[in-house]
Amino acid sequence: MHRTQVVVVGGGPSGLMAAIAAAEQGASVTLVDKGNKLGRKLAISGGGRCNVTNNKPIDELIRFIPGNGRFLHSAFQHMNPERIIAFFERLGIALKEEDHGRMFPVSDKAKSVVDALIGEAVRLGVTLRINEPVEQVIYVDDAVKGVRLKSQEVLPADAVILATGGRSVPHTGSTGDGYPWAEAAGHTITELYPTEVPLTSNASFIRDKVLQGLSLRDIAITVWNEKGKKLITHEGDLIFTHFGLSGPAALRCSQFVVKELKRSKRETVPVTIDLKPELSLDAVSQWGLSVWSKEPKKAVKNIMKQMVPERMVPLLLAMVNMDDSTTHDHFQKKQWADLCELMKAFPMKISGTRSIEEAFVTGGGIHLKEINPKSMESKLTRGLFFCGEILDIHGYTGGYNITAAFATGYTAGHHAAQQ
Ligand SMILES: Cc1cc2nc3c(=O)[nH]c(=O)nc-3n(C[C@H](O)[C@H](O)[C@H](O)COP(=O)(O)OP(=O)(O)OC[C@H]3O[C@@H](n4cnc5c(N)ncnc54)[C@H](O)[C@@H]3O)c2cc1C
């Protein structure tokens, strides 16, 4: 009996899961990767601890995949956080839940996750070939026939799964090789852009490195359009850098900045930072005044230190033209009101983001209208499947992209085996 020949190109989380799923279905599977190790990006994800998945119900999970997460409904029926957790536990990798549903291996070592995936693929008889760049995908009459390696060896296949990832962090092997192969099969690539990436700003306090290295905890950052309409708010931590803003809250806002810059064709996008998101403007004002009224001789700079990080105080006072030695007896109501406004909405103009190569995730990719969501097969070329970040799907960091990679990989592998 002919065993379906499946070739998986790319050994990241999506490709490894695709190979496992295809082998489970009885296919003869070869996984080819150009790197000298598999799962190189997975090994550095989640700060080197690998944020394997996120323990949320499917509907909520999809909310955290703002780049076309709804396309994943079918794939999540086959592979979802609950099944990912069970899958790894079956492989002996116990997982633990941290904040916001993030799941990590108890070992805190991404390598244990990568090794478990490789071990399972080997156990199921998958042939793993590393240091083998694929050069071309071979198509004949709207069907895939195999791949040609750089060495010119041809691997014939009934199904080829493209799991080559996006274009971010290229030293992990994700250099966008899969896009031209998809185009050769008639696919459209939607515009690629950086997501989950730090923000850049030409503000003078950034250029002068006034706040460089300062971390803000539990703030809220809001991206606005030019008409003052709120586009998105994210709460979390933030860090001022020599070029702008980084940290989880800034990264989450990045895709909205990219899209708004493109839409508005303006040079900057306004953002505001709420330093006290848990308090209303009125509560901030009352709180500060009550502290100050108990120590009326104290200079405003010393009162402010109790409310915001010390390094921000001179900048905030300068922005409202308030002398740092002002005492309670001499303050002007308008200045105090402006100062409180600043604490609730510290304004910045964001000029862009760092490059796609520096981004954690690539936005854009294979147009989803051309992919069957139930199987991940191309609607244009028989036997051609896609999974992972190569698709026009992107989520926030926090395990969402990796979950999407596992879900699409599992779906692609399962169906490719049935070619
Ligand atoms: C620093 C960092 C931290 C991250 N943290 C998180 C996180 O906390 N949560 C989260 O959800 N996501 C996170 N991500 C994103 C996540 O790691 C990726 O979305 C995920 O790895 C994508 O998986 P993939 O299988 O689609 O592609 P990749 O992991 O990019 O794998 C693609 C593979 O294809 C191979 N390949 C490419 N071209 C060829 C070729 N021509 N021939 C053969 N092989 C080829 C590459 O060598 C590579 O091994 C992070 C990313 C980075 C960089």
Side-chain angles (χ1 to χ4, degrees):
M1 199 182 77
H2 173 76
R3 274 175 83 202
T4 308
Q5 304 285 321
V6 176
V7 170
V8 181
V9 187
S14 69
L16 281 164
M17 188 57 96
I20 289 168
E24 274 175 355
Q25 292 301 306
S28 165
V29 186
T30 302
L31 183 149
V32 196
D33 198 291
K34 66 178 174 182
N36 61 355
K37 279 186 194 151
L38 300 175
R40 282 181 291 168
K41 191 173 275 184
L42 194 59
I44 59 167
S45 71
R49 297 193 300 136
C50 189
N51 190 176
V52 183
T53 187
N54 196 297
N55 196 11
K56 285 192 172 61
I58 290 173
D59 284 344
E60 217 188 315
L61 197 69
I62 286 173
R63 275 203 310 115
F64 286 80
I65 307 178
N68 297 319
R70 275 177 300 187
F71 180 81
L72 296 171
H73 261 295
S74 294
F76 283 154
Q77 301 310 315
H78 299 290
M79 187 52 84
N80 50 44
E82 204 181 323
R83 293 199 181 167
I84 292 169
I85 294 165
F87 172 83
F88 280 106
E89 293 201 332
R90 180 169 65 75
L91 300 186
I93 304 294
L95 302 178
K96 59 177 172 174
E97 184 169 338
E98 296 193 357
D99 56 333
H100 309 292
R102 297 184 307 150
M103 301 295 299
F104 290 90
V106 170
S107 66
D108 278 333
K109 290 196 173 71
K111 191 172 178 307
S112 63
V113 174
V114 176
D115 287 349
L117 285 163
I118 295 173
E120 180 64 354
V122 169
R123 186 186 73 79
L124 290 164
V126 175
T127 304
L128 300 176
R129 296 186 59 171
I130 55 170
N131 293 315
E132 293 279 22
V134 168
E135 194 175 75
Q136 197 189 354
V137 179
I138 303 164
Y139 307 110
V140 177
D141 297 337
D142 299 335
V144 79
K145 291 293 168 204
V147 302
R148 177 175 288 112
L149 306 181
K150 196 168 173 216
S151 65
Q152 297 307 303
E153 182 185 351
V154 170
L155 304 181
D158 304 302
V160 170
I161 302 176
L162 295 186
T164 45
R167 263 189 47 203
S168 303
V169 193
H171 74 83
T172 61
S174 327
T175 45
D177 297 11
Y179 303 123
W181 304 333
E183 280 176 326
H187 281 279
T188 316
I189 313 300
T190 62
E191 190 179 344
L192 304 179
Y193 55 90
T195 76
E196 301 300 295
V197 64
L199 308 176
T200 54
S201 171
N202 292 320
S204 56
F205 68 89
I206 295 289
R207 280 202 317 268
D208 298 343
K209 303 183 173 45
V210 173
L211 299 178
Q212 185 181 341
L214 175 68
S215 294
L216 301 177
R217 294 196 66 83
D218 298 326
I219 54 79
I221 174 167
T222 300
V223 184
W224 305 87
N225 72 9
E226 78 274 16
K227 292 186 180 138
K229 184 174 169 252
K230 185 191 285 192
L231 299 177
I232 191 77
T233 298
H234 277 297
E235 294 198 10
D237 300 344
L238 190 76
I239 180 162
F240 290 97
T241 67
H242 61 286
F243 55 76
L245 298 175
S246 192
L251 297 191
R252 286 200 170 186
C253 287
S254 59
Q255 60 176 290
F256 298 91
V257 166
V258 172
K259 287 174 189 162
E260 184 53 19
L261 278 171
K262 187 165 183 299
R263 191 203 61 77
S264 70
K265 299 193 172 61
R266 290 180 171 240
E267 296 202 335
T268 59
V269 172
V271 306
T272 53
I273 301 167
D274 184 346
L275 300 167
K276 295 276 168 211
E278 72 287 4
L279 298 178
S280 67
L281 176 60
D282 198 40
V284 168
S285 175
Q286 293 305 324
W287 175 51
L289 286 177
S290 72
V291 175
W292 211 1
S293 63
K294 283 179 205 138
E295 301 174 89
K297 296 279 176 266
K298 239 185 183 173
V300 66
K301 66 176 180 195
N302 294 322
I303 297 299
M304 289 293 291
K305 280 182 204 166
Q306 297 178 42
M307 303 178 75
V308 296
E310 188 172 346
R311 278 181 65 193
M312 285 196 86
V313 173
L315 181 65
L316 296 178
L317 291 174
M319 285 168 84
V320 299
N321 293 319
M322 197 171 187
D323 192 292
D324 62 3
S325 59
T326 306
T327 61
H328 189 256
D329 298 338
H330 296 101
F331 84 94
Q332 290 173 19
K333 275 193 179 153
K334 169 82 172 75
Q335 278 178 331
W336 177 252
D338 289 348
L339 202 51
C340 293
E341 283 269 2
L342 273 185
M343 285 189 267
K344 287 296 290 172
F346 178 81
M348 275 184 78
K349 293 231 180 297
I350 300 297
S351 52
T353 67
R354 300 293 272 188
S355 68
I356 195 165
E357 286 76 18
E358 288 169 80
F360 280 17
V361 182
T362 298
I366 312 289
H367 203 308
L368 299 176
K369 280 200 181 131
E370 300 159 358
I371 309 285
N372 181 344
K374 293 200 166 78
S375 62
M376 297 296 147
E377 187 174 9
S378 161
K379 289 180 182 172
L380 311 178
T381 300
R382 207 156 16 93
L384 181 64
F385 292 76
F386 297 93
C387 56
E389 210 176 298
I390 190 174
L391 293 163
D392 183 5
I393 295 172
H394 62 89
Y396 297 127
T397 51
Y400 305 103
N401 297 288
I402 295 169
T403 304
F406 284 145
T408 53
Y410 184 87
T411 307
H414 186 91
H415 287 89
Q418 288 157 16
Q419 276 297 303

